[in-house]
Amino acid sequence: MAREGTLIGDRYRLLGPAGPSTVVWHAQDERLDRIVAVKPLFDEPPAAPAIPAPRAAICDVVDEDSTTYLVLEYPGARTLTELLDEHGTLAPALVARFGARLAAVLAAAHDEGVLHAAVDPDHVVISAEGHAGLVAGASGSRAYHAPEVLDGGFPDFPAEVYSLGATLYAALQGRPGAEHTPAHHPVAEAVLRLLHPNPAARPTMAEAEDLFTSSLPRRPGSRDDGARRTLAGDYRCV
């Protein structure tokens, strides 16, 4: 039975289900450093063909433990809002990957004294390779604003850390607020640190990057540079 951390075909590391009540998994392609979707060719039960969505190109077909898996291209050019509308929640390991990349981008902006000012799921875009990025916007949704901003305070760097935390919390729980503590998991604990009600107690964006990078799954015996790593090559399904 597939489970988080299972390596399929000596290449695809399962990160977690792609939403509740689904046979589709998000997985890390450890050869090309990209995110893919993995699903059994036949769902059980009953034994019925599992036909991928038309937009998902088939990258690979893998046999593992008497099960044939389809490896599908990750749906690209979609906002995080659209992914959550489809899946409800995302696997913690995937949230850590997205969090590390987003925090790296925002930390670089903060180093230059620049606020993005619109960090929410509508402004997070996921590429076909499963890489998270940010698009510009006038302002983010109030549901993702820090408490001090909602109270009339001026947005600043700690407030943007909170907005990132609220965005990632929504990815874990399906909603932005922190009224309900997510299940115990290192990624959830990192997200809650970004959501501290006291701005002075929140990590900086660079510290947030380190928190999520340290939560990324690592291949045994290999070095992992997390969000800072860059790889050459064409990541399209071929």
Side-chain angles (χ1 to χ4, degrees):
M1 179 180 295
R3 64 182 64 186
E4 182 176 343
T6 299
L7 189 65
I8 302 295
D10 293 324
R11 175 171 176 178
Y12 306 104
R13 182 79 60 184
L14 299 184
L15 299 176
S21 303
T22 177
V23 296
V24 181
W25 286 72
H26 290 131
Q28 170 90 20
D29 181 345
E30 297 192 339
R31 187 176 301 170
L32 295 181
D33 184 35
R34 62 179 177 179
I35 298 297
V36 295
V38 174
K39 69 184 305 180
L41 180 59
F42 295 95
D43 297 340
E44 296 180 359
I51 305 300
R55 65 172 178 270
I58 298 176
C59 301
D60 201 355
V61 180
V62 178
D63 290 317
E64 187 80 21
D65 293 334
S66 301
T67 300
T68 299
Y69 294 92
L70 296 178
V71 180
L72 309 175
E73 182 180 42
Y74 196 83
R78 305 179 71 196
T79 67
L80 181 56
T81 295
E82 290 171 327
L83 285 180
L84 296 180
D85 285 344
E86 180 176 342
H87 298 303
T89 60
L90 299 181
L94 193 59
V95 174
R97 181 186 174 96
F98 290 168
R101 291 188 180 274
L102 293 172
V105 170
L106 291 167
H110 289 190
D111 286 345
E112 299 296 325
V114 176
L115 282 171
H116 181 275
V119 178
D120 64 19
D122 284 341
H123 294 93
V124 173
V125 177
I126 311 301
S127 73
E129 295 79 33
H131 300 317
L134 286 161
V135 295
S139 63
S141 168
R142 284 179 57 85
Y144 298 88
H145 287 178
E148 65 270 18
V149 174
L150 293 176
D151 289 340
F154 189 78
D156 56 10
F157 296 140
E160 191 145 274
V161 169
Y162 184 98
S163 293
L164 177 60
T167 297
L168 298 175
Y169 185 97
L172 284 173
Q173 293 291 99
R175 52 186 181 274
E179 295 86 358
H180 304 280
T181 302
H184 178 73
H185 193 284
V187 178
E189 293 173 359
V191 168
L192 290 179
R193 289 186 60 181
L194 274 61
L195 293 174
H196 199 288
N198 180 0
R202 295 171 201 152
T204 66
M205 197 64 79
E207 290 169 342
E209 178 190 359
D210 290 339
L211 283 173
F212 292 118
T213 298
S214 66
S215 300
L216 289 170
R218 306 182 191 282
R219 285 174 288 178
S222 68
R223 187 174 67 88
D224 189 347
D225 294 326
R228 294 187 176 92
R229 180 176 53 192
T230 58
L231 291 179
D234 187 346
Y235 292 157
R236 293 174 299 174
C237 280
V238 292

